[in-house]
Amino acid sequence: MDPLKLINNNGIVHIVGAGPGDPDLLTVRALRLIQQADVIVYDRLIGPEILDYARPDSRKIFVGKKKDAHAVPQTGINALLVREAQLGRTVVRLKGGDPFIFGRGGEELEYLQRAGIRTTVVPGITAATGCAAASGIPLTHRDHAGAVTFVTGHAAAGNDGPDWTALAQSRQTLVFYMAVSTAGVTADRLIKNGLDPATPAAIIENGTLPSQRTVTGSLSELEAMIRNNGITGPALAVIGSVAALADARPLTREAIAV
Ligand code: SAH
């Protein structure tokens, strides 16, 4: 018998953004799909309350990765998604923030498409916009910044990173993801390329969650801000004059009781 006959074509994978942590920041579509899923394959940064929306009988598979310590390697995740979909299941691949922003959503989508699996993508509120709202930092502002750039902190370590001369221009906002371990190098590179060391900077840890902390200072203090406050992440660094507008009080759901 042709082994392909065993494949059930009703299977589908939804690559879903879960937002930055606060479950209220899920999209309606994300919530609906989480409630319907047979299988939920989720990462480490999924807000703890979000899985409570799933069907009690759904299978919840943790494939989270911490920096340098992958719980399940990417190839294993890809194979798992294909296998579950081929069994005819509705699979939600749940990722923190937005799946297409530093989330490997693009790689998973390509793999699933090559395997002939029906796949949809549901955007999520990315950490930058979630944390900005929850700390009162407008990422663009007519008096401060006409552009915003999302950068991976890992880029600071290698040589094939971003164009530092472009990033060091003023009147724009930079948001560094995975910023904690490379903050010192990042600040050095920006300053060497001409960005004023006094440029305001903010670090937001656990943004939108009850444990959110926002620390502000200047670019030259970036590494010290992390060290002195014991920031271990997940955290973002926002660099640019808008960072000075940060509200020290978190504007999270709990803090403002909406
Ligand atoms: N796809 C995700 C990003 C994944 S990369 C998104 O769109 O948000 C993981 C990085 O995101 C973390 O190292 C951290 O820099 C950032 N991050 C995710 N959630 C965060 C949160 N609640 N607060 C601060 N930073 C967060």
Side-chain angles (χ1 to χ4, degrees):
M1 187 178 147
D2 180 353
L4 286 176
K5 292 263 158 53
L6 293 172
I7 293 175
N8 178 329
N9 289 321
N10 294 328
I12 187 164
V13 177
H14 302 285
I15 302 177
V16 177
D22 177 350
D24 281 7
L25 295 176
L26 285 169
T27 62
V28 174
R29 188 180 297 171
L31 176 61
R32 201 150 42 80
L33 292 171
I34 290 167
Q35 288 169 335
Q36 287 170 3
D38 299 312
V39 183
I40 299 182
V41 179
Y42 68 100
D43 284 341
R44 184 174 64 97
L45 291 180
I46 299 308
E49 296 168 66
I50 287 173
L51 291 172
D52 291 348
Y53 288 118
R55 278 179 13 215
D57 64 326
S58 66
R59 251 177 78 217
K60 297 158 196 83
I61 306 174
F62 175 68
V63 291
K65 28 192 182 248
K66 227 177 163 140
K67 193 168 167 278
D68 303 329
H70 291 215
V72 178
Q74 189 62 47
T75 48
I77 297 173
N78 293 345
L80 171 70
L81 297 174
V82 168
R83 197 167 59 236
E84 293 293 330
Q86 285 177 339
L87 291 168
R89 296 185 177 133
T90 297
V91 182
V92 163
R93 171 67 178 113
L94 197 56
K95 292 175 163 291
D98 183 280
F100 279 179
I101 296 185
F102 305 127
R104 300 194 185 195
E107 292 167 44
E108 291 178 10
L109 176 63
E110 282 166 32
Y111 188 92
L112 290 160
Q113 284 176 334
R114 270 202 307 274
I117 305 293
R118 284 194 304 151
T119 309
T120 75
V121 179
V122 181
I125 293 181
T126 190
T129 51
C131 292
S135 59
I137 300 176
L139 293 177
T140 69
H141 187 300
R142 284 197 293 166
D143 298 338
H144 297 271
V148 55
T149 308
F150 298 162
V151 194
T152 160
H154 292 168
N159 290 324
D160 54 349
D163 176 349
W164 291 99
T165 334
L167 293 181
Q169 303 302 310
S170 53
R171 286 201 57 83
Q172 61 172 331
T173 305
L174 308 176
V175 182
F176 283 88
Y177 285 66
M178 299 164 273
V180 174
S181 61
T182 51
V185 194
T186 298
D188 275 357
R189 294 224 176 187
L190 290 171
I191 292 168
K192 284 209 180 82
N193 282 278
L195 193 57
D196 184 350
T199 303
I203 305 280
I204 304 141
E205 183 187 42
N206 295 325
T208 78
L209 293 168
S211 51
Q212 173 176 318
R213 284 199 294 164
T214 305
V215 180
T216 51
S218 66
L219 177 58
S220 59
E221 297 165 339
L222 197 66
E223 196 176 19
M225 283 155 59
I226 290 174
R227 195 174 351 102
N228 297 344
N229 291 284
I231 303 253
T232 52
L236 288 180
V238 179
I239 298 165
S241 69
V242 291
L245 305 177
D247 203 315
R249 293 163 304 153
L251 305 174
T252 56
R253 184 176 53 144
E254 293 72 16
I256 55 181
V258 289

